[in-house]
Amino acid sequence: QLILLMFLLVIGSASASTVSRSFSSTSVEPGADLTVTLTVEVTGNESYYAIDELVPEGWIVKDSGSGSAEHQGHIKWVAIDNAENTTNTYTLTAPNQIETAIFNGTYMFEGMGQEAEIAGAKQANVIQEIPLPVPAPAPHETDYTIPIVIGAIIAVIIIAVVVFEKKKTKAK
């Protein structure tokens, strides 16, 4: 019994490796792309693992990266020898509707008794960006200097012409 107990403890401690998820952004517009990264951390002596990421309904797999998307609604990765720390990246196209998508997936390393849920980010929002209003140009004072100077010059010319005409009329 002691040997069985030790064996179970070794199996349990050998499966401390994890997979976690992160997003390029937690919000995207309808029809925009979202890049998802799965970070694999091998902390024990595991030599193989499998990952099964579920694609949220309505999202389209644009690029499965090094994963396999041959099963509808899933992207899968398998390391069958020499498992090591790595990142698996894939790109999805968001649906053309506003929603909150929940991401789910599981993984299993050598020595694990059952699958574990992928840790990290689980939710991405498809939102409609509301454009910020373009601010009106700041009011500025109109510079009337040039029209005033031109008006003054014209007034002086008119006065000079009138005075000249009066002198001309008196001289006759």
Side-chain angles (χ1 to χ4, degrees):
Q1 288 180 347
L2 181 61
I3 293 175
L4 179 60
L5 179 61
M6 289 176 59
F7 178 74
L8 290 174
L9 288 174
V10 169
I11 288 177
S13 66
S15 57
S17 297
T18 61
V19 178
S20 62
R21 181 187 306 103
S22 62
F23 301 129
S24 57
S25 175
T26 56
S27 299
V28 295
E29 290 190 17
D33 291 343
L34 175 71
T35 301
V36 181
T37 301
L38 299 178
T39 302
V40 178
E41 292 186 30
V42 181
T43 57
N45 293 324
E46 299 88 0
S47 60
Y48 58 88
Y49 64 84
I51 301 171
D52 182 8
E53 177 80 315
L54 301 174
V55 176
E57 190 173 327
W59 290 66
I60 298 168
V61 177
K62 181 175 184 178
D63 180 5
S64 62
S66 62
S68 170
E70 68 182 55
H71 294 102
Q72 182 70 29
H74 295 261
I75 303 176
K76 297 181 180 188
W77 293 264
V78 177
I80 57 173
D81 193 23
N82 298 321
E84 59 186 8
N85 293 345
T86 189
T87 56
N88 297 308
T89 302
Y90 64 94
T91 304
L92 301 177
T93 302
N96 287 322
Q97 61 193 32
I98 295 171
E99 68 173 29
T100 297
I102 304 299
F103 285 72
N104 291 299
T106 58
Y107 66 92
M108 190 168 188
F109 282 91
E110 173 184 8
M112 291 177 66
Q114 63 184 18
E115 294 178 334
E117 187 175 325
I118 295 173
K122 299 200 178 304
Q123 179 175 309
N125 299 305
V126 181
I127 60 170
Q128 185 65 47
E129 289 287 330
I130 299 172
L132 295 174
V134 177
H140 61 284
E141 293 184 26
T142 305
D143 186 4
Y144 293 107
T145 305
I146 294 176
I148 290 172
V149 170
I150 293 173
I153 292 172
I154 293 173
V156 168
I157 293 172
I158 292 173
I159 292 172
V161 169
V162 169
V163 169
F164 180 73
E165 285 296 319
K166 281 189 179 181
K167 284 185 179 181
K168 199 170 154 185
T169 317
K170 282 187 183 178
K172 287 187 179 182

